[in-house]
């Protein structure tokens, strides 16, 4: 995976330096905390378009004939309800019902799903998924994290900017997924209508050697580079969960039991489907049943 004893520099490190970014060590990655100021970058995202290097996030590919059924069994989301080309959000719980990690996923086909674990959880989730894979080998997990850069373009001007840079063929609707269509930059990979700011926009997954070209062209088309500071205030303003802050798997570190949460306790109104069986469901339903009893 991308983690090591020294901070890892993403493929966009030199691009950040050239933009005058203040760099920090974030979960073992050297990333910009801001370029101009947190406030300016926050407002630029809300009013026009912000550009984020989220290449520190992981990328997993799940493949196999029964991949949707298997992921449903280990996830709070029911993958069978998502048609190919759709994206969603989910939690993964341990057998006691504690959230281990959350993840945005994309259903590529009946036999392939892509998922984005949090930066500090890549190794943890790779191990956890591997330990829970079907014993018959029908589903396989690939970690694509080291070879992939992830760029998020977020804000009301995102559609016009993506149309300028990659052509209108690469506009994709909210929580939808597609391969990147042919474009003048020769950028390959895929694009999905997701993000974690509450704005419309995209997350773009490209080979590392395509990242700097795409980044520069998106800035030239009007996007404002945004650091980790505004990334946090933007998600906080929308009430989106942050791994390690709003929930933490107690198995990772002693003294974090107070951050143990199940999906019901987070009060996030998406990503939880109680109509199917999954690991950790008992704790979630017990809290859901208690809440219902209070309302009657």
């Amino acid at each position: 995976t991308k983690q090591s004893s020294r901070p890892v520099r993403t493929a966009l490190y030199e691009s950040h330096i050239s933009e005058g970014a203040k760099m920090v060590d974030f979960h073992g990655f050297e990333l910009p905390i801001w370029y101009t100021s947190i406030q300016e970058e926050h407002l630029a995202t809300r009013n026009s378009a912000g550009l984020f290097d989220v290449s520190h996030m992981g990328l997993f590919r799940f493949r196999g004939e029964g991949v949707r059924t298997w992921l449903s069994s280990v996830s709070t989301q029911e993958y069978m309800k998502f048609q190919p080309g759709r994206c969603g959000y989910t939690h993964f719980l341990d057998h006691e019902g504690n959230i281990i990690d959350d993840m945005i996923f994309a259903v590529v086909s009946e036999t392939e799903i892509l998922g984005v674990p949090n930066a500090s959880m890549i190794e943890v989730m790779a191990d956890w998924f591997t330990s829970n894979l079907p014993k018959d080998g029908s589903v396989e997990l690939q970690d694509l994290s080291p070879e992939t850069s992830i760029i998020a373009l977020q804000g009301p001007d995102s559609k016009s900017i993506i149309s300028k840079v990659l052509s209108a063929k690469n506009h994709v609707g909210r929580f939808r997924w597609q391969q990147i269509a042919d474009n003048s930059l020769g950028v390959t990979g895929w694009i999905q209508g997701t993000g974690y700011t509450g704005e419309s926009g995209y997350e773009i997954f490209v080979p590392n050697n395509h990242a700097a070209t795409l980044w520069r062209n998106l800035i030239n088309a009007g996007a404002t580079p945004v650091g980790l500071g505004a990334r946090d205030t933007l998600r906080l303003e929308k009430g989106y969960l942050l791994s390690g802050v709003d929930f933490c798997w107690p198995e990772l570190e002693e003294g974090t039991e107070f951050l143990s949460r199940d999906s019901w306790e987070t009060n996030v109104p998406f990503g939880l489907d109680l109509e199917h069986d999954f690991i950790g469901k008992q704790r979630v339903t017990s809290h859901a049943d208690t809440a219902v009893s209070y309302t009657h």
Side-chain angles (χ1 to χ4, degrees):
T1 71
K2 294 178 182 175
Q3 275 66 39
S4 68
S5 58
R6 297 172 59 186
V8 175
R9 293 178 175 178
T10 72
L12 290 168
Y13 175 81
E14 296 298 337
S15 300
H16 300 318
I17 296 302
S18 68
E19 292 292 333
K22 176 175 174 54
M23 306 296 286
V24 297
D25 184 342
F26 179 77
H27 290 294
F29 293 84
E30 201 165 0
L31 292 168
I33 188 72
W34 67 69
Y35 300 83
T36 55
S37 76
I38 293 174
Q39 181 177 5
E40 284 184 30
E41 293 162 25
H42 181 117
L43 293 175
T45 305
R46 291 282 182 244
N47 296 327
S48 53
L51 191 63
F52 305 74
D53 178 10
V54 289
S55 305
H56 58 297
M57 302 289 282
L59 179 61
F60 293 157
R61 173 184 282 147
F62 306 93
R63 277 179 169 168
E65 288 300 323
V67 66
R68 296 171 72 186
T69 300
W70 170 71
L71 271 172
S72 296
S73 74
V74 299
S75 164
T76 61
Q77 192 61 270
E78 174 52 275
Y79 286 77
M80 301 305 293
K81 293 184 177 180
F82 290 79
Q83 295 302 310
R86 299 302 298 265
C87 303
Y89 171 82
T90 191
H91 292 160
F92 297 98
L93 313 181
D94 63 19
H95 289 278
E96 285 69 51
N98 304 301
I99 298 174
I100 308 172
D101 197 20
D102 60 353
M103 189 174 80
I104 297 285
F105 64 87
V107 179
V108 177
S109 69
E110 296 290 346
T111 59
E112 181 177 347
I113 293 174
L114 297 165
V116 182
N118 286 294
S120 61
M121 297 296 288
I122 298 171
E123 290 186 10
V124 172
M125 290 309 299
D127 290 343
W128 187 82
F129 283 126
T130 299
S131 69
N132 284 286
L133 284 172
K135 302 303 182 187
D136 62 2
S138 58
V139 176
E140 65 173 2
L141 166 66
Q142 293 177 285
D143 183 2
L144 305 180
S145 308
E147 63 208 58
T148 309
S149 291
I150 311 174
I151 295 173
L153 178 66
Q154 303 280 292
D157 292 346
S158 295
K159 182 177 179 180
S160 63
I161 290 173
I162 210 74
S163 297
K164 288 179 190 174
V165 174
L166 292 179
S167 87
K169 294 181 295 184
N170 285 301
H171 163 65
V172 63
R174 186 161 175 77
F175 277 81
R176 292 187 176 274
W177 176 99
Q178 72 172 45
Q179 292 278 354
I180 295 177
D182 290 343
N183 56 86
S184 61
L185 297 180
V187 170
T188 61
W190 62 87
I191 184 168
Q192 55 193 49
T194 55
Y196 221 54
T197 63
E199 296 294 333
S200 60
Y202 313 89
E203 289 180 307
I204 312 165
F205 301 76
V206 299
N208 289 332
N209 62 344
H210 290 190
T213 296
L214 179 59
W215 181 270
R216 170 49 46 198
N217 279 271
L218 290 170
I219 291 175
N220 289 346
T224 298
V226 181
L228 294 166
R231 179 171 172 259
D232 196 37
T233 59
L234 287 159
R235 72 92 198 163
L236 189 63
E237 188 173 61
K238 289 295 182 178
Y240 294 158
L241 302 177
L242 182 62
S243 176
V245 174
D246 299 308
F247 65 85
C248 183
W249 192 32
E251 294 290 323
L252 292 178
E253 188 176 348
E254 285 188 30
T256 60
E257 292 79 7
F258 70 99
L259 284 175
S260 166
R261 303 279 190 277
D262 64 51
S263 301
W264 189 268
E265 290 174 308
T266 64
N267 200 33
V268 172
F270 49 82
L272 174 61
D273 186 320
L274 289 174
E275 296 179 7
H276 77 292
D277 289 327
F278 54 88
I279 293 175
K281 182 180 178 180
Q282 184 175 353
R283 172 172 161 177
V284 181
T285 53
S286 69
H287 284 136
D289 291 343
T290 301
V292 170
S293 68
Y294 281 142
T295 62
H296 288 81

